[in-house]
Amino acid sequence: MPAMLHQFLSNNRDELTNRCRIKVGQRSGRSATEQQLKEGIPLFLDQLIRTLEIEQTSTPLDSRRISGPAGGGTALSEVSVSAAKHGKDLLHLGLSVDQVVHDYGDLCQSITDLAVERDAPFQVDEFRTLNRCLDNAISDAVTEFGYQRDAINADANAVESNKRMGFFAHELRNHLGTASMAFAAVKAGNLSLSGATGAILERSLQALDKLIASSIEDIRLLGKTNIISASFSLADFIAEIYAVASLSIGTNGCIFRAPQVDPDLAINGTRDLLMAAVANLLQNAFKFSQPHTEVFLTAYAAGDRIIIDVKDHCGGLSPGMAASMFLPFSQSGENRTGIGLGLTIAKQSVNANSGTLTVENLPAIGCIFKISLPRHTIPT
């Protein structure tokens, strides 16, 4: 009977790690720190092995918590977290995005080569799992690499913007100073405004008007819908929601969980609106979840987005329900308390903050309401 892929990987873990290290060293322009060599590929191999082992059990879908679902998408998993860190580390080494892809390609090639050398055939489903794990890891690493690169560019743009603001303030002060001195001279000498000093005052006021008009035009070109809002800690936001929501779980004995959130993550928007959106989603989850099941709130980064998930155990959505559940006064199920506006308000609040609110159906289990918002950094 042929060996299982997870057994093959476990037995040859050190050999595969060494082969990847050699491939990295031979690639032009690629360097790696000892920490990366120690944690990167070995960590991914361990996650792949655990994924394959779980998929041989009676609950194969549990492996998604480690390696994510097929087809990628925004989902929190162990692979997504470590792959995102890998992409970030490569950027800080000054490498390009193709190096991110090559790192995971090295592992795939090493596994294939060693399997051929050892004449170790594997099942088709095992290779599909391998491809899924690699696809998700590459996707998350590239996404984080792109976000971090864009953040660096944004910082550079912010420096340039501050420089322009400094020039503007400097010119503004110069023209205002000239106008003030001209006005003081006119007032002190009881001079006519039609004279030379009055002309200086007039030209200074005209220059101020032109400078301000130019500034307003620059702002207008940035977009009429730009809204200045505040950035705030995602971890503090979730902690506050958890504290409030814990008081309103209800009487059906639901278990409410909210894991810790990365303290470096932040969102930008109207805090009260976003708080209301998540609160409505949690109220909906508590209302429709089956007795003594779990309601799960989590928040994490996915590239340039912040994802807030509310997962319930309502038993899943009936056909067509997902298309209408965000409509005003839409109610379904036996529990008709309320007036059917909670999900509508939640969606409008999220949309008002440049985000999206969608729902994913988990047949016979429940559903996941997913808020996606622009990612920001913690204000200093």
Side-chain angles (χ1 to χ4, degrees):
M1 179 178 179
M4 304 296 289
L5 180 54
H6 68 83
Q7 295 171 336
F8 176 82
L9 296 177
S10 296
N11 294 337
N12 297 281
R13 182 178 182 275
D14 292 340
E15 173 67 18
L16 291 169
T17 300
N18 288 333
R19 291 192 178 204
C20 288
R21 181 182 287 110
I22 292 172
K23 289 181 182 292
V24 166
Q26 292 175 341
R27 198 181 319 136
S28 175
R30 175 66 166 96
S31 60
T33 64
E34 286 300 318
Q35 193 74 5
Q36 281 185 303
L37 294 175
K38 180 181 178 180
E39 296 181 355
I41 294 301
L43 176 59
F44 179 76
L45 266 175
D46 290 341
Q47 293 166 341
L48 177 58
I49 292 169
R50 289 165 56 208
T51 295
L52 290 163
E53 288 175 341
I54 291 175
E55 293 195 348
Q56 299 300 317
T57 68
S58 59
T59 56
L61 292 181
D62 287 349
S63 68
R64 293 184 178 184
R65 294 185 178 180
I66 300 173
S67 52
T74 52
L76 184 63
S77 68
E78 293 181 23
V79 166
S80 71
V81 172
S82 58
K85 182 180 183 301
H86 189 66
K88 180 179 180 179
D89 290 342
L90 293 186
L91 176 67
H92 290 167
L93 286 174
L95 303 177
S96 60
V97 69
D98 65 299
Q99 298 284 7
V100 178
V101 178
H102 280 138
D103 271 16
Y104 289 100
D106 288 342
L107 176 59
C108 183
Q109 188 64 51
S110 298
I111 293 173
T112 302
D113 290 345
L114 190 59
V116 172
E117 293 173 15
R118 304 286 172 85
D119 191 24
F122 303 111
Q123 299 178 11
V124 173
D125 286 345
E126 292 179 316
F127 273 107
R128 286 175 179 166
T129 298
L130 170 60
N131 287 332
R132 187 188 90 223
C133 292
L134 286 169
D135 285 345
N136 288 345
I138 291 171
S139 174
D140 288 313
V142 170
T143 298
E144 183 66 15
F145 182 96
Y147 170 77
Q148 295 292 339
R149 180 189 56 200
D150 292 344
I152 291 174
N153 291 336
D155 288 342
N157 291 335
V159 171
E160 183 62 28
S161 177
N162 288 338
K163 187 185 297 183
R164 290 196 301 269
M165 289 178 63
F167 290 156
F168 172 77
H170 183 270
E171 291 301 302
L172 193 67
R173 184 176 61 181
N174 282 347
H175 294 309
L176 182 59
T178 302
S180 298
M181 286 188 292
F183 175 77
V186 169
K187 183 177 180 181
N190 197 24
L191 302 175
S192 171
L193 289 176
S194 60
T197 305
I200 293 174
L201 175 59
E202 182 180 17
R203 286 196 298 270
S204 297
L205 293 175
Q206 289 174 344
L208 283 170
D209 180 69
K210 183 178 179 180
L211 192 62
I212 293 171
S214 177
S215 174
I216 292 174
E217 179 66 12
D218 288 342
I219 295 173
R220 187 188 67 81
L221 292 176
L222 291 176
K224 296 181 180 179
T225 59
N226 283 357
I227 299 176
I228 299 176
S229 52
S231 293
F232 50 89
S233 165
L234 178 64
D236 292 345
F237 179 71
I238 294 298
E240 183 176 346
I241 291 174
Y242 179 78
V244 174
S246 296
L247 302 176
S248 58
I249 292 177
T251 59
N252 66 350
C254 281
I255 301 170
F256 181 34
R257 292 202 303 125
Q260 290 186 341
V261 178
D262 186 340
D264 292 332
L265 298 177
I267 47 181
N268 185 280
T270 306
R271 187 185 180 96
D272 290 344
L273 283 179
L274 292 175
M275 187 79 69
V278 180
N280 274 295
L281 294 181
L282 286 172
Q283 288 174 6
N284 183 78
F286 296 147
K287 177 179 178 181
F288 291 105
S289 288
Q290 299 170 4
H292 310 296
T293 58
E294 181 182 81
V295 172
F296 191 72
L297 169 67
T298 187
Y300 52 96
D304 62 349
R305 309 294 292 179
I306 292 293
I307 309 298
I308 301 175
D309 287 342
V310 175
K311 179 182 178 182
D312 63 35
H313 276 77
C314 65
L317 304 178
S318 60
M321 186 184 299
S324 62
M325 63 192 317
F326 294 110
L327 296 176
F329 307 107
S330 175
Q331 289 184 308
S332 56
E334 296 181 0
N335 190 337
R336 297 300 180 93
T337 57
I339 58 176
L341 284 176
L343 295 181
T344 304
I345 293 172
K347 191 173 184 66
Q348 290 177 348
S349 297
V350 172
N351 290 346
N353 283 276
S354 302
T356 59
L357 172 59
T358 57
V359 62
E360 176 186 349
N361 186 30
L362 304 176
I365 299 175
C367 55
I368 302 175
F369 288 92
K370 193 178 295 289
I371 295 175
S372 174
L373 294 163
R375 177 174 169 179
H376 290 265
T377 55
I378 293 291
T380 57

